[in-house]
């Protein structure tokens, strides 16, 4: 029986997260930083050269992202802008394994997926799925380790700050519709389990590498098999030809290149499920009895002004940012310019794209000269408020702390 830490249980978080398989580092970094050089006769070292985008994501906007490795690309805080939907060219990338060959996109409609745990199990092509129906849904997509870079113990894995997240529009068939077409669920399965279609290295235990995630069966009500993202065919970088979308759940549960969808009585035996994405207390070893990284928490952060570290002029400014509730819609957002000592309510701006999408917020304010820490906190419609402090855990998952995500600015 999974026992939640107090601050997570209070918000009914079904924890868990994505970051495992760091040991798989298959997918080399794709680049080596330039050697520090001494400029002229000074002792000042040149900044390391930015890593190039990997080939499968070469179409990304290099000026808007930070390339950590070939499998991890982060959106810069300053690149979120003022549009509710994150442009595909700026959206983060996180792969637990290198993606399949680009040739899988040559005939997208031929990609197959096996559906089991239903009354009429079948293997269907993407073309078959398209003939059954289509829906469109906006969701926040966020890596389980987003905010890991703020943990003081420096967890292994990519040191994401705020940029392993985005708000995305998906199109595909709802899992609920698909299950109804196949005669309904067989029995009363407890979990929905998605299996990715990455090619596994030979000579290793497949279950140690397989990307296979189980979530509570109830998640199927809003889940989707998506073949389109932001009005374009789903790219290889983001799971094309077909991806499982589980609204409200962290990125690892939104299985890319999905080849099998099963309704099961037990959770997957894959390492990524059993121990890889668990909220492991500090000093403990990951185990299946710890909370799995599943649902997201209410979270927000500032995106402007001062996100590039530049000095700001004293006077009127508009503090802007993004906020989401995870499993519930956003109710309100508050902003502080003094590190959380005093708060003012911001306005929610832009379109409301549903409870799983994020909302933009804005607060016109007078910024006096000096140093300030801009922070925000969101409350969802269920009364859950963004936490002040992170839950310390070994792998640095589910960091929703408003304190960590603050932005220090200098005003002159």
């Amino acid at each position: 029986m999974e026992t939640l830490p107090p601050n997570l249980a209070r918000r009914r978080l079904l924890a868990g997260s994505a970051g495992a398989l760091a040991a798989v580092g298959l997918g080399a970094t794709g680049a080596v930083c330039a050697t520090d050089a001494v400029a002229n006769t000074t002792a000042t070292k040149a900044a390391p050269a930015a890593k190039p985008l990997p080939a499968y994501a070469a179409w990304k906007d290099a000026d808007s992202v930070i390339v950590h490795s070939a499998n991890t690309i982060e959106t810069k805080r300053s690149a979120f802008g003022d549009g509710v939907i994150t442009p595909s060219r700026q959206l983060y990338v996180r792969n637990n394994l290198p993606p399949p060959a680009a040739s899988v996109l040559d005939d997208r409609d031929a990609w197959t997926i096996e559906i089991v745990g239903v009354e009429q199990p079948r293997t269907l092509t993407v073309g078959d799925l398209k003939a059954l129906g289509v829906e469109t849904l906006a969701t926040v997509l966020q890596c389980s380790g987003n905010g890991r870079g703020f943990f003081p113990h420096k967890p292994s894995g990519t040191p994401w700050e705020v940029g392993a997240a985005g708000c995305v529009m998906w199109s595909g068939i709802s899992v609920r519709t698909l299950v109804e077409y196949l005669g309904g669920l067989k029995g009363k399965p407890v979990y929905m389990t998605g299996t990715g279609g990455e090619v596994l290295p030979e000579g290793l235990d497949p279950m140690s590498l397989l990307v296979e995630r189980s979530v509570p069966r109830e998640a199927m009500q809003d889940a989707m098999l998506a073949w389109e993202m932001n009005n374009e065919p789903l790219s290889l970088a983001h799971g094309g030809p077909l991806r499982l979308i589980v609204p409200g759940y962290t990125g690892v549960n939104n299985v890319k290149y999905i080849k099998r969808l099963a309704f099961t009585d037990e959770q997957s035996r894959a390492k990524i499920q059993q121990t890889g994405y668990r909220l492991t207390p500090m000093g403990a070893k990951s185990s299946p009895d710890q909370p799995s990284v599943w649902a997201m928490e209410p979270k927000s952060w500032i995106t402007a002004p001062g996100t590039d570290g530049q000095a700001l002029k004293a006077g009127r400014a508009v503090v802007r940012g993004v906020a989401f509730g995870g499993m519930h819609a956003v109710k309100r957002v508050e902003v502080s310019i003094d590190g959380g000592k005093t708060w003012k309510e911001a306005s929610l701006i832009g379109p409301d794209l549903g409870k799983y999408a994020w909302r933009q917020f804005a607060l016109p304010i007078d910024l006096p000269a000096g140093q300030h820490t801009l922070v925000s906190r969101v409350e969802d419609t269920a009364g859950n408020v963004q936490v002040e402090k992170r839950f310390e855990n070994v792998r640095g998952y589910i960091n929703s702390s408003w304190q960590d995500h603050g932005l220090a600015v200098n005003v002159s």
Side-chain angles (χ1 to χ4, degrees):
M1 181 73 177
E2 294 180 347
T3 302
L4 293 172
N7 67 325
L8 299 183
R10 178 173 57 82
R11 289 170 309 233
R12 295 172 293 178
L13 174 66
L14 299 172
S17 178
L21 306 186
V24 179
L26 301 170
T29 59
V32 178
C33 290
T35 303
D36 290 333
V38 177
N40 299 323
T41 58
T42 72
T44 302
K45 292 183 178 181
K51 297 176 182 177
L53 288 160
Y56 72 94
W59 50 273
K60 294 281 184 179
D61 179 3
D63 293 333
S64 298
V65 299
I66 302 165
V67 179
H68 294 287
S69 75
N71 286 331
T72 52
I73 301 171
E74 180 170 5
T75 306
K76 293 180 180 178
R77 189 192 287 246
S78 59
F80 283 107
D82 293 322
V84 64
I85 294 297
T86 306
S88 301
R89 294 179 69 241
Q90 298 174 0
L91 183 65
Y92 85 101
V93 174
R94 166 66 170 119
N95 286 328
N96 282 284
L97 290 173
S103 59
V104 301
L105 303 183
D106 291 346
D107 187 355
R108 294 169 175 273
D109 285 358
W111 181 268
T112 60
I113 178 172
E114 180 187 13
I115 314 294
V116 299
V118 292
E119 289 292 344
Q120 302 166 27
R122 288 181 60 184
T123 295
L124 300 169
T125 66
V126 171
D128 294 331
L129 297 178
K130 290 179 177 179
L132 300 179
V134 64
E135 294 185 14
T136 297
L137 178 70
T139 74
V140 170
L141 183 69
Q142 179 183 224
C143 179
S144 310
N146 197 30
R148 179 185 288 128
F150 301 124
F151 280 80
H153 71 282
K154 306 299 182 185
S156 62
T158 303
W160 309 107
E161 292 193 354
V162 302
C167 188
V168 181
M169 190 75 74
W170 308 98
S171 292
I173 185 171
S174 73
V175 171
R176 184 183 63 257
T177 297
L178 179 59
V179 167
E180 290 174 355
Y181 171 73
L182 296 176
L185 295 177
K186 187 172 184 178
K188 295 182 179 180
V190 182
Y191 301 101
M192 177 176 70
T193 300
T195 307
E198 295 94 339
V199 177
L200 302 181
E202 295 182 0
L204 298 174
D205 177 7
M207 298 309 285
S208 70
L209 299 174
L210 183 67
V211 179
E212 184 173 81
R213 288 288 295 174
S214 301
V215 297
R217 182 192 65 199
E218 292 74 21
M220 69 168 275
Q221 294 303 317
D222 294 324
M224 170 186 289
L225 293 174
W227 52 75
E228 192 171 282
M229 186 185 87
N230 290 352
N231 298 321
E232 297 177 340
L234 192 55
S235 68
L236 192 68
H238 294 295
L242 191 68
R243 182 172 187 170
L244 175 64
I245 302 302
V246 189
Y249 285 65
T250 62
V252 70
N253 302 290
N254 294 249
V255 177
K256 293 181 173 182
Y257 324 112
I258 187 165
K259 291 294 289 182
R260 187 173 188 266
L261 184 66
F263 296 91
T264 59
D265 293 329
E266 303 291 338
Q267 294 185 28
S268 169
R269 301 308 300 173
K271 181 180 178 182
I272 196 172
Q273 180 75 29
Q274 292 294 308
T275 60
Y277 282 77
R278 299 280 169 174
L279 279 178
T280 304
M282 298 300 296
K285 184 177 180 180
S286 296
S287 66
D289 62 341
Q290 296 161 355
S292 185
V293 179
W294 282 336
M296 295 187 290
E297 294 184 303
K299 187 172 180 178
S300 68
W301 60 82
I302 305 295
T303 60
T307 47
D308 290 321
Q310 76 273 25
L312 302 175
K313 296 295 184 182
R316 201 66 167 169
V318 179
V319 178
R320 305 191 298 278
V322 296
F324 55 95
M327 300 298 288
H328 304 281
V330 169
K331 179 180 180 181
R332 66 180 186 139
V333 179
E334 294 177 302
V335 167
S336 172
I337 65 169
D338 54 17
K341 296 177 181 178
T342 60
W343 298 88
K344 291 185 178 181
E345 187 166 350
S347 297
L348 299 178
I349 60 173
D352 181 351
L353 298 181
K355 70 177 184 177
Y356 294 119
W358 67 29
R359 297 299 307 272
Q360 298 163 285
F361 61 86
L363 179 68
I365 200 164
D366 289 315
L367 280 177
Q371 292 187 329
H372 304 277
T373 300
L374 311 180
V375 293
S376 61
R377 66 183 181 191
V378 58
E379 179 182 355
D380 70 20
T381 53
N384 302 307
V385 179
Q386 183 176 358
V387 296
E388 178 180 358
K389 299 183 181 298
R390 65 189 167 267
F391 169 66
E392 301 291 348
N393 64 95
V394 171
R395 301 194 182 208
Y397 292 142
I398 311 287
N399 186 356
S400 301
S401 160
W402 60 253
Q403 186 180 76
D404 278 355
H405 289 74
L407 181 65
V409 296
N410 293 313
V411 180
S412 59

